[in-house]
Amino acid sequence: MFEILRRDGMARIGKFTTNSGRTVETPTLLPVINPKIKTVTPREIYEDFGFGAIITNSYIIKNNPALNEEARAKGLHEMLDFPGIIMTDSGTFQSHMYGEVEMTNKEIIEFQKAIRTDIGTVLDIFTEPYWTEQQTADSIVTTLERTEEAVSLKGEMMLNGVVQGSVYPNLRKDCAEKLAKMDIDVHPIGGVVPLMEQYRYSELVDVIMSSKMGLNPNRPVHLFGAGHPMLLAFATLMGCDLFDSASYAKFAKDDRMMFIDGSFKLAEMQSLDCNCPACRGMSIEAMRKTPKNERTRILAMHNLYAIKNELNLVKRYLREGRLWELAELRARAHPAMLDGLRRLRDYQEFMEKFDPISRDGAIFYTGIETRGRPVFKRYADRILDRYVAPTKKAAIFYGGQGKPYSRDMAEMFAKARKQGYTPVVLSPWGPVPAELDEMYPLAQSLFPDIEDFDTTSESEEITLEFLEKHFEETVNGSELEDSEGEDVSELDLDIRRAKAVARYQFGLEAADALFRGTIELRKSKKTGKIRNVISDGEHVLSMRAGDGMYTLRMEGAKRIIASVPAPHMRMAVTDDSVPFVSQGRNAMCQFTTACDENLVPMDEVIVVDKNDTPVATGRMLLVANEIFNMKKGIAVKIRSGSDEE
Ligand code: GUN
Ligand code: ZN
């Protein structure tokens, strides 16, 4: 069972519970335990390092008579002395390394059951990056047959159904879609170790994203063989939940240390600047002089600390909604990683479906790759489709510095308006009409003053398209002469702003329904910002100070239901659920019957009953496809129910 607790785009914090009742919070990494050589003991890994899950190899155990007997007799947990979750692999990786393994899929599945693993793995076929498409496709047929067989045998054991497909995105997606239909518990993405070893990160991005597109969101995704701390933020950003690392021990044996910016050989390092509990107080000379066995252990522990530290950081950034920033930072550790980040832009449209409509805290521009974030595409799309110009003439202003622009450039804007122009600032986001300048992400983003070429050319391109679509005439705002004319009244300006935000957030039709009849605005005495929108005497919207976006009130929800056809902005729940939700309890995935697929996380949503009667308003935590597939968890955080007001 997998439950999504928090999310940041495709990244999620989840609670994974095995059939044996053991749980672990994801994202997490499973240190690989070699049952013959326990450099660091499983007990230490659990208690001292805090890893709640490990992975070991059932193929090695099965082939070793003593281990085989002990594992069958005691079960894996007692044999390894590990109270957390134990996953086992099947021997596939051995076949990748050393050729064919002499074992059938059925044998290895039965063995994994016999030793009471929590999660067993199919004997999948490792698809090598140099394979032809045909060879890859043929082997996937076998992997899928074996997976079917494993599903029929698994019993109480949970099952890893591995996505294969070499570097062919279509085969990956197709394999993932077929696996999504089977009764599997976890989805490793396999066959990626050579890509990581060869620093082929842009292909790794294609592999992960095409697999994710086909998989079912209610199952954790495991990136098989990914254990370098450098990669964790980036892979988590793409929606991977589980990782495993054999390298912490393998590198230690070779006197190599993992750091966030790479792995380094002890012999080549100039100094040992590490404060982890394993190295603290040690000089590089002292480390080199430590006897081999003890040194291997210290280095393995260092590597585990490096992984654990980064995992903790990834989770913190994820909780804060800032994982993109961390991934962008990490991608700068190696040009090949930067390639990965650049490739991710190809998936901007897919990722946009998962990107929250707003978040706490500003977006930091860390370089041209930031432009690949989904939020840039969303802004560019909505400014074209969800904007209505108040006048047909635009006055363009360049180089807005202070934000919001309408305060910083108040006089120039007023001069333009007097002559019937709509002020539009050319910003790194593209065009910002004055009405939108307090809204997320425009006011909540920071760019360097010295602009790069990509930003200049892209924002100009978006602006040209915008001007073409919405205006008949354009002038340079700074060249406008003073002139006589009537000021646009403060109320009219405020209404323009209020309505522009509603259109951006809810669409044109919904905004028309909300802004019907006489409009009255309540503003904050302290900041002068719009607080409440009253339409024909009904309080329909409240504007949040933080992101300049709206909270939808029950009166507003009723207007939208009455005027805009379903499923726009709706999520429907079962009859059983209605009494709870209408009293303000959160709406749960398992009681949802329909949902607008265009809603993104943190969007305002109207919960309705089967007759499309509004029951409550709230904010989306998950998206439609996730809600339909999850067996548990909160779909919508309810703000107020119809029986409460
Ligand atoms: N370990 C690393 N890669 C793989 C893979 O593709 N399949 C399995 N079963 N284990 C792996
Ligand atoms: Zn250290």
Side-chain angles (χ1 to χ4, degrees):
M1 168 84 80
F2 185 60
E3 196 181 336
I4 299 175
L5 304 178
R6 292 289 289 268
R7 66 113 41 80
D8 181 8
M10 294 179 70
R12 49 226 193 145
I13 290 195
K15 185 177 167 194
F16 180 63
T17 308
T18 63
N19 290 343
S20 56
R22 298 180 175 97
T23 68
V24 73
E25 190 177 271
T26 66
T28 192
L29 178 140
L30 291 69
V32 175
I33 299 297
N34 182 332
K36 293 188 208 160
I37 328 159
K38 294 176 214 155
T39 321
V40 184
T41 68
R43 178 61 65 175
E44 287 171 317
I45 283 179
Y46 188 76
E47 282 174 4
D48 302 348
F49 293 87
F51 289 100
I54 55 173
I55 178 166
T56 189
N57 200 301
S58 64
Y59 178 79
I60 296 176
I61 298 174
K62 188 167 186 298
N63 275 345
N64 178 300
L67 290 173
N68 185 317
E69 194 181 323
E70 190 187 354
R72 281 179 193 274
K74 293 183 179 165
L76 264 188
H77 290 84
E78 195 189 322
M79 176 173 111
L80 296 176
D81 185 28
F82 189 77
I85 295 173
I86 303 182
M87 180 187 277
T88 43
D89 203 350
S90 56
T92 298
F93 198 66
Q94 279 66 25
S95 70
H96 155 72
M97 296 286 286
Y98 315 110
E100 281 301 296
V101 296
E102 291 115 38
M103 212 173 276
T104 65
N105 179 53
K106 183 160 188 274
E107 280 168 346
I108 197 67
I109 293 292
E110 296 287 10
F111 182 69
Q112 293 177 88
K113 274 173 74 180
I115 61 177
R116 277 97 82 196
T117 186
D118 289 301
I119 310 152
T121 305
V122 176
L123 188 64
D124 53 316
I125 298 174
F126 196 101
T127 50
E128 302 288 349
Y130 56 82
W131 281 12
T132 64
E133 192 163 347
Q134 191 56 51
Q135 189 177 10
T136 305
D138 292 347
S139 81
I140 291 175
V141 173
T142 308
T143 292
L144 291 172
E145 280 167 9
R146 291 182 184 178
T147 310
E148 293 273 19
E149 181 183 45
V151 168
S152 73
L153 295 169
K154 72 172 187 170
E156 276 302 290
M157 179 179 78
M158 290 181 123
L159 191 67
N160 268 337
V162 188
V163 185
Q164 291 289 353
S166 179
V167 292
Y168 306 103
N170 54 326
L171 295 184
R172 288 276 175 185
K173 182 158 181 250
D174 188 56
C175 179
E177 280 169 355
K178 288 177 174 145
L179 290 167
K181 295 197 185 96
M182 298 185 201
D183 182 16
I184 289 161
D185 306 282
V186 178
H187 288 297
I189 298 176
V192 293
V193 170
L195 294 178
M196 293 186 287
E197 283 171 353
Q198 297 162 30
Y199 284 76
R200 291 162 68 174
Y201 288 116
S202 55
E203 286 163 287
L204 182 66
V205 168
D206 289 335
V207 165
I208 296 174
M209 294 303 286
S210 51
S211 303
K212 283 289 293 188
M213 283 174 172
L215 287 174
N216 181 334
N218 75 352
R219 298 170 186 164
V221 172
H222 179 153
L223 194 59
F224 242 149
H228 201 290
M230 191 163 91
L231 197 67
L232 294 177
F234 191 46
T236 303
L237 182 74
M238 291 186 278
C240 297
D241 309 289
L242 300 172
F243 306 91
D244 64 274
S245 170
S247 9
Y248 78 93
K250 280 191 195 153
F251 284 12
K253 217 172 110 223
D254 298 341
D255 277 326
R256 273 165 67 187
M257 301 181 75
M258 290 172 148
F259 290 96
I260 192 59
D261 51 347
S263 310
F264 302 95
K265 288 203 178 103
L266 194 58
E268 291 168 7
M269 286 162 57
Q270 301 297 317
S271 61
L272 177 64
D273 315 298
C274 184
N275 253 327
C276 86
C279 310
R280 188 173 299 151
M282 264 187 131
S283 67
I284 187 100
E285 291 80 17
M287 185 72 90
R288 286 186 188 134
K289 278 190 202 133
T290 305
K292 174 72 186 168
N293 280 350
E294 195 187 334
R295 190 170 71 232
T296 301
R297 189 174 141 79
I298 295 174
L299 295 183
M301 296 202 312
H302 162 90
N303 290 341
L304 281 174
Y305 281 121
I307 290 168
K308 187 71 188 177
N309 269 348
E310 180 67 0
L311 258 181
N312 289 344
L313 201 65
V314 165
K315 282 200 202 174
R316 174 155 75 76
Y317 271 76
L318 199 166
R319 284 204 171 87
E320 292 170 357
R322 302 197 298 140
L323 193 59
W324 270 99
E325 268 97 353
L326 186 65
E328 288 176 354
L329 202 69
R330 293 298 182 238
R332 276 150 180 87
H334 195 286
M337 291 251 320
L338 203 53
D339 264 337
L341 187 58
R342 289 179 178 179
R343 181 59 62 87
L344 197 55
R345 188 169 181 165
D346 290 355
Y347 301 92
Q348 208 178 19
E349 189 171 335
F350 178 67
M351 293 187 99
E352 196 265 337
K353 298 189 180 90
F354 303 92
D355 207 54
I357 190 77
S358 99
R359 67 171 203 188
D360 294 335
I363 291 180
F364 281 10
Y365 185 85
T366 68
I368 57 166
E369 291 76 22
T370 302
R371 304 195 67 82
R373 290 200 203 176
V375 59
F376 277 83
K377 178 163 169 49
R378 178 178 296 151
Y379 184 72
D381 287 349
R382 291 200 179 188
I383 201 71
L384 283 180
D385 299 338
R386 296 187 172 196
Y387 178 74
V388 178
T391 69
K392 286 286 155 204
K393 304 194 296 180
I396 300 287
F397 294 88
Y398 297 85
Q401 296 298 323
K403 282 183 189 168
Y405 303 130
S406 37
R407 201 172 313 148
D408 200 50
M409 299 191 254
E411 276 177 33
M412 291 194 287
F413 282 11
K415 190 159 72 178
R417 287 195 181 103
K418 250 188 199 174
Q419 301 173 49
Y421 290 99
T422 297
V424 176
V425 178
L426 184 60
S427 87
W429 290 98
V432 178
E435 308 96 277
L436 289 177
D437 69 355
E438 285 176 9
M439 184 193 71
Y440 180 92
L442 304 168
Q444 297 77 3
S445 50
L446 286 168
F447 291 81
D449 289 340
I450 303 170
E451 201 166 84
D452 49 73
F453 177 76
D454 293 60
T455 296
T456 307
S457 60
E458 280 178 26
S459 68
E460 269 176 18
E461 200 178 308
I462 303 166
T463 304
L464 285 177
E465 205 179 342
F466 168 83
L467 292 172
E468 175 101 344
K469 169 146 189 199
H470 296 296
F471 296 92
E472 285 162 6
E473 181 194 332
T474 302
V475 295
N476 183 337
S478 59
E479 288 169 6
L480 283 175
E481 305 284 337
D482 278 325
S483 80
E484 300 294 307
E486 221 87 8
D487 279 326
V488 180
S489 77
E490 190 179 320
L491 177 64
D492 284 344
L493 279 185
D494 286 337
I495 290 177
R496 280 184 190 179
R497 176 183 294 281
K499 199 161 175 186
V501 173
R503 287 181 178 125
Y504 184 94
Q505 196 178 345
F506 307 128
L508 305 186
E509 260 187 292
D512 284 340
L514 292 165
F515 282 76
R516 206 177 46 214
T518 319
I519 304 298
E520 186 193 330
L521 299 175
R522 295 213 189 102
K523 301 211 293 182
S524 157
K525 288 203 179 69
K526 224 160 81 194
T527 61
K529 284 188 180 175
I530 297 166
R531 293 288 290 276
N532 299 324
V533 178
I534 324 282
S535 161
D536 272 345
E538 293 175 340
H539 179 183
V540 289
L541 296 168
S542 303
M543 196 181 266
R544 299 185 289 258
D547 63 2
M549 284 188 158
Y550 287 118
T551 288
L552 180 65
R553 310 267 310 174
M554 213 49 213
E555 293 302 328
K558 288 180 193 159
R559 293 269 190 98
I560 293 172
I561 298 293
S563 322
V564 190
H568 191 71
M569 287 181 71
R570 278 98 146 163
M571 185 180 92
V573 296
T574 60
D575 289 346
D576 297 349
S577 171
V578 168
F580 295 97
V581 175
S582 63
Q583 282 170 34
R585 303 267 289 273
N586 290 328
M588 310 302 287
C589 294
Q590 60 271 39
F591 303 119
T592 301
T593 56
C595 184
D596 178 359
E597 291 183 3
N598 293 315
L599 290 168
V600 300
M602 302 314 278
D603 249 338
E604 294 291 309
V605 57
I606 307 164
V607 178
V608 295
D609 68 9
K610 65 170 185 285
N611 303 316
D612 204 31
T613 307
V615 175
T617 61
R619 292 183 90 174
M620 300 292 291
L621 295 188
L622 303 177
V623 303
N625 183 37
E626 293 166 339
I627 294 170
F628 296 140
N629 283 295
M630 299 304 291
K631 297 195 174 69
K632 225 180 137 184
I634 304 175
V636 171
K637 194 159 166 35
I638 297 298
R639 182 177 309 102
S640 54
S642 56
D643 290 353
E644 286 184 306
E645 291 185 351

